[in-house]
Amino acid sequence: MDDLAWMRRALEFAPLGGGWTSPNPLVGCVLVKGDQVVGEGYHARLGGPHAEVVALEMAGDRARGATAYVTLEPCNHTGRTGPCTQALIRAGVSRVVYAVPDPNPLTAQQADAVLRSAGIEVEGGVIEDEARRLNEVFLKYIRTRQPFVVMKMAMSLDGKIATTTRESRWVSGEVSRTHVHELRGTLSAVMVGIGTVLADDPGLDARLEGAHQPTRVVVDPRAETPPDARMFRTPAPVLIAHGSEAPDERLEALARVGAALLPTPTVDGGHLDLRALMVELGRRELSGVLLEGGGGLNASAIAQGIVDKLVFFVAPKLIGGTLSPGPLGGFGIEQMTEAHALFDLRCYPSGEDVRLEAYTSPLAP
């Protein structure tokens, strides 16, 4: 029996719940008996049956004596649903193979011991690196209760995100823009600054059929978001993070069109405290944030240490000009030793563009 091949099949199922399971993980499960698949499934929606239960229901009596391949160690606690360990034991599976240990500090790795005590053979760590990447959002959120933040940017080969007149449509190509909509549909929130709202009036929706629509978060110290902004026309929440100096009449106008107001403290320079904002978003169970800011917000996000991952789309274009903005604003650094080191840089084709991905710190084991 090829454990790697069956786990890869489970990993193909897991992303199908993207956007709909947050703050829970993406999980796929394949039940195999005699080199034949007898059941398979994935966690499709928050509060719905877990992947193991879906696969067991498909298998029925054929689950007895089967091997279960699961992309995350089966849960051993009762939350919105019951423990999957007990479902596997009742079904009579003989072996459980999982990719990533359970990171939940309340139940971490209990399932392994519970399954073994029931006479089930257990093996963990199969294709663990790939499975960790699949659930990088959940793995951070479950440990810290704060969202995993992905900074996205499209830029030219010479590092410009717009022309001297701030025209930015379109720097990247169609394939890259489609990938951005996939990110919006997968992550639970999209965050921009007030400058982007005033300049572009973005909808910030995932324009893909059947996609989950993310919560929109605007970093808006003085509550300057227009009440008739396009983002209010799509059925997803809008959160306005504002400072203490925001005029009451603006806040009231935004509340009337359905915005949720998030009073947020400031830090040096009058910028909103993005760390405090992340704590509040985590409290609202927004586990992943796609940061689509301009240079100013991006610089604040890097300086305040909230960014976990960068996804940059680099287009084969040259824009030039000392006044053309780049992806990071602010004052910059004076010494190369102050540069922010990135980790695990990877490169992928994206139509005519190139997609670069890197992390701001090594992935936690």
Side-chain angles (χ1 to χ4, degrees):
M1 185 177 295
D2 189 342
D3 288 349
L4 296 180
W6 293 125
M7 185 62 76
R8 287 195 180 96
R9 180 163 178 152
L11 284 166
E12 290 175 2
F13 278 102
L16 298 178
W20 297 105
T21 65
S22 177
N24 282 355
L26 299 169
V27 183
C29 177
V30 175
L31 285 170
V32 179
K33 187 173 184 180
D35 289 333
Q36 296 294 318
V37 173
V38 295
E40 53 193 6
Y42 63 97
H43 183 34
R45 283 184 180 266
L46 183 67
H50 288 187
E52 297 94 318
V53 173
V54 174
L56 289 171
E57 288 179 349
M58 178 184 293
D61 292 339
R62 295 177 297 169
R64 186 164 299 279
T67 295
Y69 293 90
V70 195
T71 57
L72 185 69
E73 182 183 3
C75 65
N76 188 52
H77 64 283
T78 299
R80 292 179 172 92
T81 62
C84 290
T85 51
Q86 298 306 312
L88 291 165
I89 292 170
R90 287 193 301 270
V93 301
S94 61
R95 185 168 179 253
V96 172
V97 180
Y98 64 84
V100 180
D102 182 0
N104 190 328
L106 297 176
T107 63
Q109 298 183 24
Q110 289 182 10
D112 194 301
V114 168
L115 293 170
R116 290 181 190 276
S117 67
I120 296 175
E121 181 184 348
V122 181
E123 182 175 352
V126 177
I127 317 186
E128 184 171 354
D129 181 67
E130 186 176 336
R132 284 189 178 279
R133 291 175 180 278
L134 171 70
N135 269 316
E136 59 194 10
V137 171
F138 170 75
L139 292 174
K140 179 187 178 182
Y141 176 79
I142 197 64
R143 289 191 176 104
T144 67
R145 297 297 172 179
Q146 293 187 33
F148 185 91
V149 178
V150 179
M151 177 188 287
K152 161 263 167 183
M153 187 56 64
M155 65 182 187
S156 61
L157 189 60
D158 58 338
K160 306 296 184 179
I161 64 173
T163 67
T164 56
T165 62
R166 298 303 193 265
E167 181 187 352
S168 60
R169 295 185 180 179
W170 297 102
V171 174
S172 59
E174 184 176 352
V175 172
S176 297
R177 296 197 297 274
T178 297
H179 189 78
V180 172
H181 286 287
E182 292 172 351
L183 286 172
R184 289 180 182 177
T186 300
L187 296 169
S188 46
V190 175
M191 186 167 79
V192 297
I194 182 58
T196 297
V197 172
L198 295 177
D200 300 335
D201 191 21
L204 301 179
D205 52 333
R207 292 189 285 278
L208 297 173
E209 185 178 355
H212 172 268
Q213 294 303 323
T215 294
R216 279 70 54 82
V217 181
V218 183
V219 179
D220 185 4
R222 293 188 52 79
E224 298 174 278
T225 300
D228 62 349
R230 191 154 62 96
M231 70 180 73
F232 291 111
R233 301 173 203 164
T234 54
V238 176
L239 310 182
I240 306 294
H242 65 88
S244 59
E245 296 183 0
D248 289 342
E249 61 272 18
R250 291 182 186 167
L251 295 173
E252 292 166 1
L254 289 169
R256 282 196 294 270
V257 295
L261 305 176
L262 305 182
T264 306
T266 57
V267 293
D268 293 341
H271 298 290
L272 293 189
D273 187 339
L274 299 179
R275 291 192 186 97
L277 178 57
M278 292 304 106
V279 171
E280 174 60 23
L281 297 185
R283 190 185 68 80
R284 293 169 177 260
E285 295 192 333
L286 297 173
S287 60
V289 173
L290 180 63
L291 175 59
E292 295 196 50
L297 180 57
N298 286 348
S300 292
I302 291 291
Q304 295 188 44
I306 69 163
V307 177
D308 297 289
K309 184 178 183 179
L310 299 98
V311 178
F312 277 30
F313 299 93
V314 182
K317 300 174 182 178
L318 297 175
I319 294 177
T322 57
L323 298 180
S324 301
L328 289 180
F331 294 106
I333 61 173
E334 296 182 356
Q335 304 293 328
M336 190 59 68
T337 54
E338 303 173 48
H340 294 274
L342 301 177
F343 300 85
D344 198 13
L345 175 65
R346 298 194 177 196
C347 178
Y348 305 92
S350 184
E352 67 251 41
D353 306 329
V354 169
R355 185 176 88 248
L356 301 175
E357 297 186 0
Y359 297 88
T360 56
S361 61
L363 283 176

